[in-house]
Amino acid sequence: MTIKDTPEEWQVVATATPFEGKKTSVRADDVVMPDGAVARRDYQVHPGSVAVLALDPDDRVLVLRQYRHPVRQRLWEIPAGLLDVPGENPLHAAQRELYEEAHVKAEDWRVLVDVYTTPGGCDEAVRIFLARDLSAAEGERFEVEAEEADMELARVPVQELVRDVLAGDLHNNCLVVGVLSLVAARDGDGLDSLRPAEAPWPARPFDA
């Protein structure tokens, strides 16, 4: 048996959108189950996201600390952001987020891992990139606002992050998945074997 996620779509006999926000919405679908029964499934509709694990020559990851109101915590994260435009190239979005949140650019980009953050309740898909050969971005820093105006930046050794993840001290999905995937890739076929930055992404097809 091949262990691989595959596309499939069960019949939807009714659908509604009880809430529509600025970036996301909530959808209620009545779905036909395998036994013929119909069950309602409520979930958040999300445009998708990108995240960047930026690794410097000293084997440190660029992280930022930001308040997240839904969980009432200030979390350490890696740079990330929404795919604001339908069909937007995720690499371009990732480069933008790295510039806006950290004022950093990178010369070497790879796809580290693709994930669904909460497939039981949200259709958000995230592509996490590995960025290397870092340098300071040119020009003035991007003007941040709201939660981002209070962000802290740091560079933390990979092994320290791994230890803190396994100790239960770090919880951000993209940080946890990104750091552990980095270690797994290095212990496997190596970082240069990762997919190219423009690799297809069926969950969020994009323009070249």
Side-chain angles (χ1 to χ4, degrees):
M1 181 175 63
T2 301
I3 304 299
K4 182 179 180 180
D5 297 337
T6 55
E8 186 169 339
E9 189 166 350
W10 293 359
Q11 182 184 6
V12 175
V13 294
T15 188
T17 305
F19 171 80
E20 191 163 354
K22 183 178 179 181
K23 295 293 185 180
T24 67
S25 59
V26 173
R27 183 175 296 162
D29 288 345
D30 291 339
V31 185
V32 180
M33 299 289 113
D35 62 1
V38 175
R40 171 151 292 190
R41 293 292 178 261
D42 301 326
Y43 59 99
Q44 182 184 20
V45 178
H46 195 285
S49 307
V50 292
V52 185
L53 193 143
L55 186 67
D56 74 11
D58 296 320
D59 207 39
R60 300 176 304 173
V61 175
L62 193 158
V63 293
L64 50 91
R65 192 168 181 240
Q66 184 173 347
Y67 176 68
R68 293 301 188 184
H69 186 70
V71 296
R72 307 302 199 272
Q73 290 194 29
R74 192 183 293 269
L75 301 179
W76 284 103
E77 308 179 351
I78 56 177
L82 298 175
L83 291 169
D84 293 321
V85 181
E88 181 178 18
N89 188 310
L91 174 60
H92 299 166
Q95 291 169 332
R96 180 186 69 236
E97 293 301 329
L98 186 60
Y99 163 74
E100 291 182 356
E101 295 192 347
H103 201 63
V104 166
K105 63 181 180 179
E107 299 301 324
D108 187 312
W109 290 83
R110 309 273 176 148
V111 174
L112 184 56
V113 66
D114 298 327
V115 295
Y116 291 116
T117 55
T118 318
C122 179
D123 70 353
E124 180 184 15
V126 180
R127 169 158 282 188
I128 304 176
F129 289 90
L130 171 66
R132 295 180 290 177
D133 295 342
L134 308 181
S135 61
E138 300 171 356
E140 296 183 3
R141 293 189 66 93
F142 180 78
E143 287 289 334
V144 295
E145 59 183 12
E147 293 93 342
E148 294 182 352
D150 193 38
M151 286 193 308
E152 303 172 48
L153 291 173
R155 296 192 182 205
V156 182
V158 171
Q159 288 306 317
E160 183 177 333
L161 290 174
V162 171
R163 183 173 63 250
D164 293 342
V165 165
L166 297 179
D169 294 331
L170 299 174
H171 306 88
N172 175 262
N173 182 288
C174 292
L175 173 61
V176 172
V177 172
V179 168
L180 298 184
S181 295
L182 172 72
V183 173
R186 291 205 295 207
D187 289 345
D189 295 329
L191 299 184
D192 290 335
S193 70
L194 292 169
R195 287 172 290 163
E198 300 275 7
W201 189 17
R204 292 294 185 274
F206 59 90
D207 301 326

